[in-house]
Amino acid sequence: MGSFDRKVERNQRRMYKKGKGSNVGQGTRNPRTSLGANGEGDVFKGRNFILPTALVLLALLYAVVGLIGNTEEVNSVLFWATIFLYFVLALVIFMRKPYLRVNKSSLYTSKFNRDRMLDAGNISKIKVSRNKIVIEPKTREPKWVFYRTRNRFDTEAMAARLQLYADTHHVKLVKE
C-alpha cells in the first residue's frame, strides 16, 4: 500500500470519528471495493471484439493509404505512432471484458468505462431471451443490455442466476 493510500485511510478514519464521513453508519465498508468485477457475487464476463476489430482495420487502412500515397510521410514518427496507438487502443478495449456481477442485493456492470450499480429496489424489470438480457432501471438511466452475439455473454447461465435474483427480491422477470 502506498503512502497516498495510507493518508486517505487516515483521513477517512478522522472524518468518521467526527461524524462527517459519507459512509457514516455503514461500518468500515470501503466503497471502492464494492464496485468492479472482483467483488462478491456471481460474475459473468463477456468479450469486446467488434470495436477492436474496427480499430485494427482502421489502422491497417490508414497504413495502406499512407504507404500508397506520399512516401515522405511514411518515414514520419507521427505516422507510425498513430498506427501503433490504434493497435494499442484496440488491444486495451479487447482485454477489458464487459461483465455483469450479481450480488446478494445489487447488480454491477461497467458502462462507458464507469462502474454502475443497481439495487433490487431500483430495477423495473428484467427481460430474458436466448440472445440477450435487458435490465430496465426505474430511474432515467439507460437500460443494461447484454448480448450473446455481440459480447459473447453466456446468457443462459445469466438468465438462471437472474431468475433466482428476481425471485428473491420480487423483481419482475419477463421471458421472451
Side-chain angles (χ1 to χ4, degrees):
M1 184 184 305
S3 64
F4 178 75
D5 291 332
R6 285 192 294 272
K7 288 179 185 177
V8 168
E9 286 185 15
R10 191 177 326 120
N11 287 335
Q12 281 180 342
R13 275 188 252 124
R14 282 188 203 148
M15 294 301 282
Y16 294 150
K17 285 180 184 177
K18 289 181 183 179
K20 295 181 181 178
S22 62
N23 291 345
V24 174
Q26 293 183 5
T28 59
R29 189 180 132 223
N30 189 349
R32 289 180 287 167
T33 59
S34 65
L35 295 174
N38 297 329
E40 298 175 357
D42 298 326
V43 178
F44 302 95
K45 291 187 178 182
R47 176 65 77 183
N48 286 328
F49 65 91
I50 294 174
L51 183 59
T53 303
L55 287 171
V56 166
L57 292 175
L58 192 62
L60 292 174
L61 177 70
Y62 185 66
V64 167
V65 168
L67 291 173
I68 290 173
N70 193 354
T71 57
E72 293 173 4
E73 290 182 9
V74 172
N75 294 328
S76 168
V77 174
L78 190 57
F79 174 78
W80 292 109
T82 303
I83 294 170
F84 174 74
L85 289 176
Y86 270 110
F87 281 114
V88 169
L89 182 61
L91 180 67
V92 166
I93 292 173
F94 180 76
M95 295 304 289
R96 188 177 169 125
K97 294 181 178 181
Y99 69 91
L100 171 69
R101 182 164 58 97
V102 182
N103 202 349
K104 292 177 186 174
S105 62
S106 303
L107 301 177
Y108 299 88
T109 191
S110 62
K111 294 286 181 189
F112 303 113
N113 210 21
R114 295 182 65 197
D115 288 327
R116 304 284 185 183
M117 180 190 85
L118 266 180
D119 288 325
N122 291 332
I123 299 174
S124 172
K125 64 181 166 182
I126 301 172
K127 293 180 185 177
V128 175
S129 70
R130 186 176 178 275
N131 291 323
K132 72 178 178 179
I133 292 181
V134 180
I135 300 171
E136 295 183 13
K138 289 180 180 176
T139 59
R140 296 180 64 185
E141 290 185 40
K143 299 175 188 176
W144 294 5
V145 184
F146 303 95
Y147 293 98
R148 172 188 290 274
T149 54
R150 188 182 300 171
N151 292 115
R152 310 304 305 158
F153 278 106
D154 185 6
T155 54
E156 292 172 2
M158 289 170 73
R161 179 60 178 98
L162 286 171
Q163 175 73 46
L164 217 110
Y165 180 84
D167 291 342
T168 304
H169 298 288
H170 309 293
V171 175
K172 181 179 176 184
L173 188 123
V174 178
K175 293 186 179 181
E176 297 177 347

